[in-house]
Amino acid sequence: MSEKIEVEVFYDYGCPYVHAAAVWIDKVKASLGDRLQVKWRYFPLEQVNSVEGPEWKLWEQPADYKSRGRDAFHGAIAARNQGEDAFERFHLALLHAKHVEGKEHSRRETLLEAAKAANLDLARFERDLDDRSLLAKIGTDFEEAREHYGVFGTPTFVFPDGASAYIKMRPAAPSEDAVAVFEDFVETVQGRPYIAEIKRPSKPTS
């Protein structure tokens, strides 16, 4: 794979398939370098699954609203304010804290631990965590995902030509297969639009 690949990935920190995808993509980037450009975009499943009606917006709820994941997105936005590399480090650290260490991903303590692991400017990070105007960015990504791409779950990959796919992978593809799996995935999503779904049947248990 020699050509440059750009892709946006809509994600939610609570999703185990997002964790596997992030680990997989990190392995692919280690091989492809700058030829692969990934933009992770916010897509709260809490909004998708809300029973409050279409006018209810997670990112508009008061600070004391007990959300499962909103503050994790806030942390991601605060990290991204320090640069895309800072975001990438924080992103992997927070996913690891949630899905490997079993920590609550929206607790401020967990966010600060991930920020420290990502070597962020902690004072700036905390200031941005207290800036509720940043939450509007969650809505911007979510509404674009729904209105333009029909995103329904995470992780969903969207390529510049509009080709998109939701993928379940768990665990992440092993290092020796990571690039090959990614090449097959890209070729299927972009080159074979007539394939609408591939799903493994559940094997009966005895």
Side-chain angles (χ1 to χ4, degrees):
M1 183 176 288
S2 58
E3 70 278 10
K4 184 176 180 179
I5 297 177
E6 296 180 356
V7 64
E8 297 181 330
V9 186
F10 290 91
Y11 77 94
D12 185 294
Y13 282 110
C15 177
Y17 302 117
V18 167
H19 174 238
V23 172
W24 171 44
I25 291 301
D26 192 52
K27 294 175 181 178
V28 177
K29 289 181 71 175
S31 294
L32 300 186
D34 291 340
R35 285 177 290 164
L36 176 58
Q37 298 293 323
V38 180
K39 176 78 169 183
W40 294 90
R41 300 189 63 183
Y42 322 120
F43 190 81
L45 296 176
E46 192 172 351
Q47 180 71 31
V48 177
N49 299 325
S50 171
V51 297
E52 300 293 336
E55 300 305 315
W56 186 88
K57 308 295 184 186
L58 173 66
W59 48 91
E60 295 177 353
Q61 301 312 302
D64 61 356
Y65 176 75
K66 301 299 183 182
S67 169
R68 296 189 301 274
R70 179 190 60 190
D71 291 346
F73 286 115
H74 197 165
I77 297 166
R80 185 165 261 150
N81 280 352
Q82 298 187 35
E84 201 62 29
D85 287 345
F87 166 83
E88 292 279 354
R89 297 193 303 271
F90 174 86
H91 184 63
L92 288 169
L94 186 56
L95 284 167
H96 183 87
K98 167 65 176 176
H99 297 284
V100 178
E101 299 177 3
K103 296 181 179 179
E104 176 50 57
H105 58 295
S106 272
R107 289 187 61 193
R108 192 177 184 98
E109 178 183 357
T110 305
L111 299 177
L112 290 173
E113 288 176 0
K116 185 175 181 180
N119 197 30
L120 301 188
D121 179 333
L122 294 182
R124 180 181 177 186
F125 182 78
E126 288 205 77
R127 287 197 301 273
D128 284 342
L129 272 186
D130 293 329
D131 183 356
R132 290 182 51 78
S133 70
L134 297 178
L135 294 173
K137 296 179 185 294
I138 302 172
T140 298
D141 278 8
F142 181 86
E143 290 171 353
E144 182 176 346
R146 295 289 270 185
E147 294 172 10
H148 294 283
Y149 305 120
V151 176
F152 60 87
T154 61
T156 294
F157 289 68
V158 179
F159 294 91
D161 63 359
S164 62
Y166 164 72
I167 183 172
K168 286 184 176 182
M169 175 187 292
R170 192 179 185 192
S175 298
E176 62 271 19
D177 288 338
V179 173
V181 171
F182 186 73
E183 289 175 340
D184 289 345
F185 175 68
V186 173
E187 175 60 26
T188 299
V189 176
Q190 291 194 293
R192 297 181 173 89
Y194 42 83
I195 297 178
E197 182 175 2
I198 299 174
K199 191 170 184 178
R200 297 181 186 272
S202 299
K203 296 180 180 179
T205 57
S206 57

